[in-house]
Amino acid sequence: MAYSPTGDPILLLWLVPWGPSNGTYTNLLPYLPRVMVGVVFAFHTDGLGNGATLQETLAYDGNGYWISEQLSKLQAVYNSSSVVFVNFFLTTSTWRGYLTSVTQPQLLLLNYTLMQIASITNRGERLVVGVSEMNDLDDYGYYQVYSLIRQDLPHAQLFYYTDLGQSVSSIESVFTYLRSNGITLNYLGYDVYPYPSYDYFNGQVQIPGNFVSQISALQSFAQQNGVNFFIGEVGFRDGDVLGYENPSATAYIDFNAPVGYQDTINYYEDVISQLSSMGVTIIGIWNYNGWNGDPFGVWYNPYFGQLLEFVGIKPIETANIEVVSPVPVFYINGSKYYTNGTYTVALPVNISFDSLYYINGSVRMILEGVEVNGLQSGGSFMVSKPGTYQIIAKYLTQYYVMVNLNVSAYVNGVKEELTSGWYDMGTVIQVYPQVIHVGPYEVYNITTSYSFIVNNPGSIQVPYTVEYYVKIMLPNGTIAGWYANGSVINLPKTVYVNGKEYVLVGPDQIVVNGPIVSARPMYVQVTTTSTSTTATTPTTSTTTSTSSANYQASQTTTSSTASTITSSTITISTTSTTISISKSTSSTVTSTTTSTTLYVTSTTITSTTIPYSSLNTSSALIVIMFLLMLIILAILISKK
């Protein structure tokens, strides 16, 4: 090892879609607090015309599958990382550095992937996103790519790095063009694959001087513009003793394990030390998991731990946890993870679960307990020893149930007040017959038993009858009790009290649509007590005419008494007059007065209707009409 890092370099390890699909990348997780991870999304677009739909582009050459794989990796590392890089390869069949413009299928795939990433990362929080090695792309192509990233991931920072074949002035031009259009790159950088090779002296490698000058010039430009400089990639053919010669070649020249594996680690340490002495702190390793047998990576290198220790990362203890839960999330050291999966965690680690998890406004989950390898535990616990742990969280489902009526009921056999609220799934509710007073004159009468099992959110409609208190006072008694809403009470049309007859004035039916308290229907006594004829002394007046030759008609005087209504009787008196005419010298006119008295006993009538709508002011008119009829009847009788 020829050099030692003078600063505090941070390794940026790239995860590519063509790496192992068996989840081995999760072995990185224990190191995430000390390293950075980059996730590469690569699109297969050669042969796709501009008329292709999103569905066609996703189905083309496995695009949908690879995007899904990389989203899973991003999700696995995101919550344990302070920063995650995301790199887009817009094409793979040909090198992306040859693209001069961006195609419609590439933009479709880019936008689709960005939207998926946005849902995982809250629209780009703690992400650094960009493209690399787009050497021949025109300025507008850069703008299309970065404006779409900025639109979909507004919280993300942006990067661009390229190989040493793209000049510093070209990168400066791209940066200036984007900034003039409202887009500022936050990171600029190079990758280090010197062509035709690194400098090599006595088993040690160095970056050639002309490339060191190019790196320094771009680093200076970045610093002047207030952005970060980094090395996106450093790569050697893993296990190749001559891996420093034409390092971008995909074919091995002299593969010699295990000597070649140790040489590879030594070469990385040499270059990292040189870059660190230049003030470079972020150095990418291309690529973790490798391409075509890991030629540029270190995943299968048995001395990988030596490289981590070289940059200050010591091996740490880990544990594998398998989490099973009906609730989709749990927490590792306070960061959210998804359940029903297996994770490698650095020890010690805190595992916790939500005690209350709302699926929506009417369904929630209550934590009952957690089992760790079969032993009971609380909702939060520590794992401090290496090993494999099966963690099973048990939740109880509850539903919110609306109740139309607060009643007494048996809930799972326990008597209690039944109200709207949260109930465990499978709860048995039994409502028994009862009367509920809702006012002094109104009740809800539950006449039959009612049962309900809570298997989903909803409402309980307890059947009941509305009843009102009724009290009706009759001349001969009282009708009183509770009557159902809509009931009809028939009143007697005639009642007898002490031998006297009383007749109902008004309707003989009452519809119960509210309380009726102390109502007094109108009854009238119609019994005739006496009738008499009184003869009076005739009054005679005589007129003598002086001329016997003339007829003289007598003058008639008619007198009558006024009709009088008292509180006890109605008296009607009439006077009739008879006229006699005689042909003589003297004529006598006789006037006879006859007085007839009809006695009708009246009745004092009191009506109280609270609130009895069937008895109203129109009844008074009926009474007056009835009395007038009696008067007319009396007159007719007297004339007879």
Side-chain angles (χ1 to χ4, degrees):
M1 184 172 62
Y3 302 97
S4 296
T6 57
D8 189 14
I10 300 173
L11 296 185
L12 171 58
L13 305 176
W14 292 100
L15 303 179
V16 295
W18 44 82
S21 59
N22 57 6
T24 53
Y25 67 89
T26 58
N27 290 334
L28 270 178
L29 299 181
Y31 302 101
L32 290 183
R34 298 177 178 88
V35 300
M36 286 185 177
V37 172
V39 181
V40 177
F41 289 86
F43 305 145
H44 304 301
T45 57
D46 288 341
L48 279 173
N50 280 333
T53 65
L54 175 61
Q55 288 71 23
E56 290 170 341
T57 58
L58 289 173
Y60 183 76
D61 203 11
N63 279 326
Y65 171 77
W66 292 118
I67 292 172
S68 176
E69 284 288 296
Q70 294 307 91
L71 286 171
S72 297
K73 293 176 183 178
L74 174 62
Q75 204 163 38
V77 303
Y78 178 72
N79 286 325
S80 296
S81 303
S82 57
V83 175
V84 177
F85 280 70
V86 175
N87 194 350
F88 289 99
F89 291 0
L90 301 186
T91 186
T92 54
S93 299
T94 58
W95 182 47
R96 57 194 180 280
Y98 296 144
L99 288 179
T100 58
S101 60
V102 181
T103 67
Q104 182 247 4
Q106 290 165 0
L107 290 174
L108 282 176
L109 290 171
L110 177 61
N111 183 62
Y112 170 81
T113 308
L114 288 169
M115 295 299 289
Q116 305 305 307
I117 294 173
S119 66
I120 297 173
T121 64
N122 191 27
R123 303 185 71 191
E125 287 184 355
R126 296 188 285 114
L127 291 186
V128 184
V129 185
V131 294
S132 61
E133 297 178 305
M134 305 289 283
N135 300 19
D136 295 340
L137 190 63
D138 60 20
D139 286 346
Y140 182 67
Y142 283 112
Y143 175 77
Q144 286 179 288
V145 171
Y146 282 102
S147 62
L148 189 56
I149 295 173
R150 171 60 64 231
Q151 170 188 307
D152 292 343
L153 302 177
H155 300 152
Q157 293 186 300
L158 306 177
F159 78 81
Y160 177 71
Y161 74 83
T162 187
D163 63 23
L164 292 166
Q166 188 171 2
S167 66
V168 174
S169 61
S170 174
I171 300 173
E172 292 175 351
S173 175
V174 171
F175 178 87
T176 303
Y177 173 79
L178 289 174
R179 187 165 61 179
S180 67
N181 285 278
I183 299 171
T184 299
L185 300 177
N186 306 100
Y187 288 79
L188 288 173
Y190 269 126
D191 58 25
V192 181
Y193 295 117
Y195 187 84
S197 70
Y198 286 90
D199 290 340
Y200 180 79
F201 299 101
N202 298 323
Q204 300 169 1
V205 299
Q206 287 184 331
I207 304 170
N210 60 319
F211 294 121
V212 171
S213 298
Q214 193 169 326
I215 292 170
S216 297
L218 185 58
Q219 183 182 28
S220 177
F221 174 80
Q223 292 172 346
Q224 291 171 8
N225 286 274
V227 300
N228 301 290
F229 180 81
F230 75 116
I231 295 298
E233 304 172 19
V234 173
F236 295 95
R237 289 187 301 279
D238 191 26
D240 191 342
V241 174
L242 300 178
Y244 58 87
E245 293 185 3
N246 191 15
S248 61
T250 57
Y252 286 93
I253 298 174
D254 186 2
F255 181 81
N256 184 2
V259 175
Y261 284 125
Q262 182 62 72
D263 287 344
T264 300
I265 297 301
N266 292 340
Y267 299 156
Y268 274 112
E269 291 176 356
D270 292 344
V271 173
I272 289 171
S273 296
Q274 186 178 3
L275 292 171
S276 179
S277 68
M278 297 172 60
V280 180
T281 57
I282 300 176
I283 302 170
I285 302 299
W286 188 264
N287 57 50
Y288 200 78
N289 291 340
W291 181 328
N292 298 333
D294 199 17
F296 308 127
V298 290
W299 178 248
Y300 295 115
N301 195 306
Y303 304 106
F304 177 58
Q306 175 187 322
L307 179 61
L308 294 177
E309 289 187 38
F310 177 73
V311 296
I313 301 174
K314 296 181 179 180
I316 54 179
E317 290 184 324
T318 63
N320 294 321
I321 60 171
E322 178 189 0
V323 181
V324 179
S325 172
V327 168
V329 298
F330 75 109
Y331 303 89
I332 298 176
N333 291 331
S335 296
K336 183 184 293 185
Y337 284 78
Y338 292 90
T339 58
N340 304 311
T342 301
Y343 299 89
T344 301
V345 295
L347 299 178
V349 64
N350 175 261
I351 308 296
S352 60
F353 296 84
D354 287 319
S355 59
L356 182 62
Y357 181 83
Y358 283 87
I359 296 176
N360 53 49
S362 57
V363 183
R364 70 181 186 182
M365 310 287 281
I366 303 291
L367 181 65
E368 290 187 295
V370 179
E371 288 186 0
V372 181
N373 287 345
L375 300 177
Q376 293 295 324
S377 178
S380 178
F381 56 91
M382 296 294 297
V383 175
S384 56
K385 295 182 179 180
T388 299
Y389 296 85
Q390 185 184 55
I391 301 171
I392 301 175
K394 296 182 179 180
Y395 281 84
L396 176 67
T397 302
Q398 289 188 332
Y399 300 115
Y400 192 83
V401 177
M402 297 290 294
V403 181
N404 67 324
L405 193 62
N406 292 342
V407 298
S408 295
Y410 289 99
V411 180
N412 290 330
V414 178
K415 186 177 180 181
E416 60 183 66
E417 289 299 310
L418 180 66
T419 60
S420 297
W422 293 95
Y423 292 87
D424 296 345
M425 181 177 64
T427 296
V428 177
I429 298 172
Q430 295 173 305
V431 180
Y432 52 85
Q434 57 194 278
V435 175
I436 301 170
H437 287 266
V438 294
Y441 303 110
E442 182 179 357
V443 298
Y444 295 162
N445 191 355
I446 302 172
T447 58
T448 58
S449 298
Y450 178 78
S451 296
F452 185 86
I453 299 177
V454 179
N455 284 324
N456 47 55
S459 61
I460 297 177
Q461 298 296 320
V462 178
Y464 64 90
T465 301
V466 179
E467 294 183 357
Y468 299 109
Y469 182 75
V470 174
K471 184 177 181 181
I472 302 173
M473 303 177 71
L474 304 177
N476 63 339
T478 300
I479 298 173
W482 293 93
Y483 288 80
N485 183 38
S487 298
V488 177
I489 298 175
N490 293 309
L491 299 177
K493 297 181 179 180
T494 303
V495 298
Y496 295 90
V497 179
N498 298 325
K500 297 179 181 180
E501 181 181 1
Y502 294 85
V503 177
L504 175 66
V505 178
D508 61 354
Q509 287 188 336
I510 299 176
V511 178
V512 179
N513 52 23
I516 302 175
V517 183
S518 299
R520 296 176 182 270
M522 188 173 297
Y523 284 83
V524 177
Q525 180 184 348
V526 293
T527 303
T528 301
T529 57
S530 63
T531 301
S532 61
T533 301
T534 303
T536 60
T537 303
T539 300
T540 304
S541 59
T542 303
T543 302
T544 301
S545 177
T546 58
S547 174
S548 59
N550 298 327
Y551 288 98
Q552 182 173 342
S554 63
Q555 297 181 352
T556 302
T557 301
T558 301
S559 63
S560 63
T561 61
S563 299
T564 303
I565 300 177
T566 68
S567 61
S568 59
T569 60
I570 299 174
T571 302
I572 303 173
S573 299
T574 61
T575 301
S576 61
T577 301
T578 303
I579 302 175
S580 299
I581 301 175
S582 58
K583 188 177 180 182
S584 62
T585 57
S586 64
S587 299
T588 300
V589 178
T590 303
S591 174
T592 303
T593 300
T594 303
S595 176
T596 302
T597 303
L598 174 66
Y599 296 94
V600 180
T601 302
S602 65
T603 302
T604 300
I605 300 171
T606 303
S607 176
T608 304
T609 57
I610 307 175
Y612 174 31
S613 60
S614 299
L615 304 176
N616 49 45
T617 55
S618 63
S619 300
L621 296 176
I622 296 174
V623 173
I624 293 172
M625 293 177 64
F626 179 77
L627 293 176
L628 290 175
M629 290 175 63
L630 290 177
I631 294 170
I632 295 170
L633 179 61
I635 293 172
L636 294 175
I637 293 173
S638 66
K639 288 186 176 182
K640 290 181 180 180

